[in-house]
Amino acid sequence: MKRTLITIATAALATLGTATLAHAQHDQAAEACKDDAAKLCPGVKPGEGRIMECLKEHKSEVSSECKKAVAKHRRAKRRGGKEEADSGSDQ
């Protein structure tokens, strides 16, 4: 019984760590794209992916910093939140 509880607790902590990392990378992407969103999408209401959709529509005008942060976030999301070793972009 004790071993089962330890296994469950370990799995729960690993899941929490993965979710926390993915959330942190989302926040980094949001910060990196803040100025682009303000400039390119001034009337777009945040939420439900509307800002990201607007930035996609203006892809050629988005800063390289924003593109890199979004690419890193997408890679982490595809890998279940696991941090990626390389810092290349996925544009």
Side-chain angles (χ1 to χ4, degrees), residues 8 11 15 27 35 37 40 43 45-46 52-53 57 64 77 82 89:
I8 291 170
T15 301
D27 289 349
D35 292 339
L40 302 170
K45 181 181 175 185
M52 188 56 66
E53 193 59 39
E57 291 171 10
S64 61
K77 199 172 175 183
K82 294 176 188 159
S89 68

Side-chain angles (χ1 to χ4, degrees), residues 23-40 51-52 55 61-73:
H23 183 73
Q25 288 174 333
H26 175 270
D27 289 349
Q28 289 172 355
E31 181 64 28
C33 297
K34 177 176 62 174
D35 292 339
D36 291 325
K39 181 176 116 184
L40 302 170
I51 297 288
M52 188 56 66
L55 291 174
E61 302 168 74
V62 172
S63 69
S64 61
E65 180 183 340
C66 176
K67 288 178 182 177
K68 287 177 185 177
V70 169
K72 185 175 181 179
H73 171 65

